Amino acid sequence: MAAAAATNLKVIGAWASPFAMRPRIALNVKNVDYEYLEETFAPKSELLLKSNPVHKKVPVMIHNDQPICESLVIVQYIDEIFTSGSSLLPSDPYDRAIARFWATYIDNTWFSSLVGIAKAKTDEEKATASEGLTAGLALLEEAFEKISKGKGFFGGKTIGYVDIALGSCLGWIRVAETLSGSNYIDETITPGLNAWADRFSSDDAVKDLIPDTEKLLGFAKRRFGSPAK
Amino acid sequence: MAAAAATNLKVIGAWASPFAMRPRIALNVKNVDYEYLEETFAPKSELLLKSNPVHKKVPVMIHNDQPICESLVIVQYIDEIFTSGSSLLPSDPYDRAIARFWATYIDNTWFSSLVGIAKAKTDEEKATASEGLTAGLALLEEAFEKISKGKGFFGGKTIGYVDIALGSCLGWIRVAETLSGSNYIDETITPGLNAWADRFSSDDAVKDLIPDTEKLLGFAKRRFGSPAK
């Protein structure tokens, strides 16, 4: 399919960051061209420091020379600015509130357990993180059944806001499964999310962006050291 | 002024919670009547547990029997549902992204320093929290000058999204000042925010909601124990 007319649009990201993947998936859903800049971090680029002076973190999206920071803020901006492709947030205000609730839950509550598996230095820390991850995915499985209404995505028939918030973490869920030897998303424990994960990962807007699990595992080991076995 | 037609609207809150104050300020700005339910916590009410099973926390807003949780999600919902009163989020998508960025900053980065003053058990912990609070307010002072453009509020001439996010914390800022013996918002260090705080606190939508500093201080001491001196 032909991309929408190119705009003055850049995304500063990092291949291993689930947060940095979010604007890229959103722009792909909207079928909008952008320039991707992989941040090198050593040292941080002048453009990153200038564009996100508060957090100095990826992702940053720069639209017509104006920087926008925070992945979920960027995704909402993309949804409001680009009318091409499908809508990311639902049109009904209550459904929109529910989508925002779950995206906030993923980032502010659940994510610490996900990264906790890779950061764990002891078996006890790993077990605590693993329990948090499992309990959170059980809630998200239930939310998925309720919100998707059998249409395939949290966003209905197409990828939406919560799909992007959770789906961007799939690579790290696979890493957590390898590190802990447990399944977090599979046919038995989360049948809805299991089919959703396959659907999401193979979508044209996503398939080239989810990092290879082995490569991400190597990154996690370099970043956080050897985890508890 | 006459309130808009009463709707089937309840807010479950707690007087000392800045988060719980947010929906109430937003509804006052919109001039919408609601029923306020003060949560007692011991034990948590059936309505709270049923309405916010994930976090079991205030605030919850219940609109036509549908619960909405997370203070900033509720404020956005109020802005989208009620067209009475002024808009809380700016109409321009970029300005809206900037407002969302600062509200996220307040909750996810700055707030831990604010509550850190009350939670501090050692002088070192208190000093770290105090530095974080001051540094954050310096950033917010700068943002205020840029965003308000001399109109008085982050939201322009009227109270908006960032005003509610930060202003709901003013009672706790006064508590932190008392506990640490430092000024965090005053004429010298944050002249813009100092005038803004007076304007915000005396606004009709707010003035009856900001708790008395002494009463809040008593609450903080009961909740977090005696702080470092």
Side-chain angles (χ1 to χ4, degrees):
Chain A
M1 43 186 179
T7 48
N8 185 354
L9 199 62
K10 293 182 180 76
V11 173
I12 313 176
W15 69 271
S17 162
F19 305 109
M21 201 186 300
R22 292 172 175 175
R24 304 179 73 189
I25 297 172
L27 290 168
N28 286 351
V29 169
K30 295 289 187 176
N31 202 25
V32 171
D33 279 342
Y34 63 96
E35 182 184 353
Y36 177 65
L37 304 168
E38 176 79 17
E39 175 61 33
T40 49
F41 291 112
K44 287 183 180 180
S45 68
E46 280 303 312
L47 188 63
L48 177 63
L49 296 174
K50 190 181 78 177
S51 307
N52 189 358
V54 173
H55 299 295
K56 304 176 180 69
K57 284 182 182 169
V58 296
V60 177
M61 188 168 89
I62 304 172
H63 186 211
N64 296 328
D65 302 318
Q66 293 185 303
I68 303 126
C69 306
E70 287 287 340
S71 66
L72 294 177
V73 173
I74 300 172
V75 171
Q76 288 181 83
Y77 176 82
I78 289 169
D79 199 30
E80 293 174 1
I81 281 280
F82 299 110
T83 52
S84 52
S86 50
S87 287
L88 302 174
L89 268 297
S91 58
D92 176 75
Y94 185 75
D95 294 341
R96 205 149 55 230
I98 296 299
R100 288 189 177 121
F101 172 84
W102 285 111
T104 304
Y105 172 79
I106 288 164
D107 279 16
N108 294 5
T109 304
W110 176 81
F111 189 80
S112 65
S113 297
L114 177 60
V115 77
I117 303 271
K119 280 184 173 171
K121 298 292 177 210
T122 64
D123 284 344
E124 198 186 341
E125 281 175 14
K126 195 156 75 172
T128 302
S130 191
E131 277 167 30
L133 196 51
T134 302
L137 285 168
L139 287 175
L140 288 161
E141 170 80 9
E142 202 183 312
F144 176 74
E145 295 303 336
K146 203 165 168 185
I147 297 171
S148 70
K149 298 187 183 87
K151 289 182 185 165
F153 292 105
F154 286 94
K157 289 182 180 168
T158 51
I159 288 176
Y161 190 60
V162 183
D163 297 290
I164 293 174
L166 184 61
S168 57
C169 301
L170 279 170
W172 280 93
I173 292 173
R174 297 313 175 201
V175 164
E177 290 181 332
T178 306
L179 290 174
S180 71
S182 305
N183 279 1
Y184 295 114
I185 292 184
D186 74 14
E187 255 182 79
T188 314
I189 48 172
T190 54
L193 288 181
N194 191 56
W196 164 84
D198 288 344
R199 206 174 294 121
F200 182 83
S201 305
S202 59
D203 192 281
D204 280 345
V206 177
K207 63 184 181 192
D208 297 330
L209 292 176
I210 292 191
D212 175 71
T213 304
E214 280 303 309
K215 194 180 163 195
L216 206 52
L217 195 59
F219 173 89
K221 286 177 177 171
R222 287 193 304 277
R223 175 77 186 269
F224 301 113
S226 291
K229 297 253 173 194
Chain B
M1 42 188 180
T7 48
N8 185 354
L9 198 62
K10 294 183 179 76
V11 173
I12 312 175
W15 68 271
S17 162
F19 305 110
M21 201 186 300
R22 292 171 175 175
R24 304 179 73 188
I25 298 172
L27 289 168
N28 287 350
V29 170
K30 295 288 187 177
N31 200 25
V32 171
D33 278 341
Y34 64 95
E35 182 185 352
Y36 177 66
L37 305 169
E38 177 78 18
E39 175 61 32
T40 49
F41 290 113
K44 288 184 180 179
S45 68
E46 281 303 311
L47 189 63
L48 177 64
L49 297 174
K50 190 180 79 176
S51 307
N52 189 358
V54 173
H55 299 296
K56 304 174 182 70
K57 284 183 181 169
V58 296
V60 177
M61 188 169 89
I62 304 172
H63 186 210
N64 295 328
D65 301 318
Q66 293 185 303
I68 303 128
C69 306
E70 287 287 340
S71 66
L72 294 177
V73 171
I74 300 172
V75 171
Q76 289 181 82
Y77 176 81
I78 289 169
D79 199 31
E80 293 174 1
I81 282 282
F82 298 110
T83 53
S84 52
S86 50
S87 287
L88 302 174
L89 268 297
S91 58
D92 176 76
Y94 185 75
D95 295 341
R96 204 149 55 230
I98 296 299
R100 287 190 177 121
F101 172 84
W102 285 112
T104 305
Y105 172 78
I106 289 164
D107 279 15
N108 294 3
T109 304
W110 175 81
F111 189 80
S112 64
S113 296
L114 177 60
V115 77
I117 303 271
K119 280 183 176 173
K121 297 291 177 210
T122 65
D123 285 345
E124 198 185 341
E125 281 174 14
K126 195 157 73 171
T128 302
S130 192
E131 278 167 30
L133 197 50
T134 302
L137 285 168
L139 287 176
L140 288 161
E141 170 80 9
E142 201 182 312
F144 176 75
E145 295 303 335
K146 203 167 167 184
I147 296 171
S148 69
K149 298 188 182 86
K151 290 180 186 164
F153 291 106
F154 286 95
K157 290 182 181 167
T158 50
I159 287 176
Y161 191 61
V162 183
D163 297 290
I164 293 174
L166 185 61
S168 57
C169 301
L170 279 170
W172 280 93
I173 292 174
R174 298 311 175 203
V175 164
E177 290 180 333
T178 306
L179 289 175
S180 71
S182 307
N183 279 359
Y184 295 114
I185 291 184
D186 74 14
E187 256 182 76
T188 315
I189 49 172
T190 54
L193 288 182
N194 191 56
W196 163 84
D198 289 342
R199 205 175 295 121
F200 182 83
S201 304
S202 59
D203 193 281
D204 279 345
V206 177
K207 63 184 181 192
D208 298 329
L209 292 176
I210 293 191
D212 175 71
T213 304
E214 280 305 309
K215 193 180 165 196
L216 206 51
L217 195 59
F219 173 89
K221 286 177 176 171
R222 286 193 304 279
R223 174 76 187 269
F224 301 114
S226 290
K229 298 251 168 190

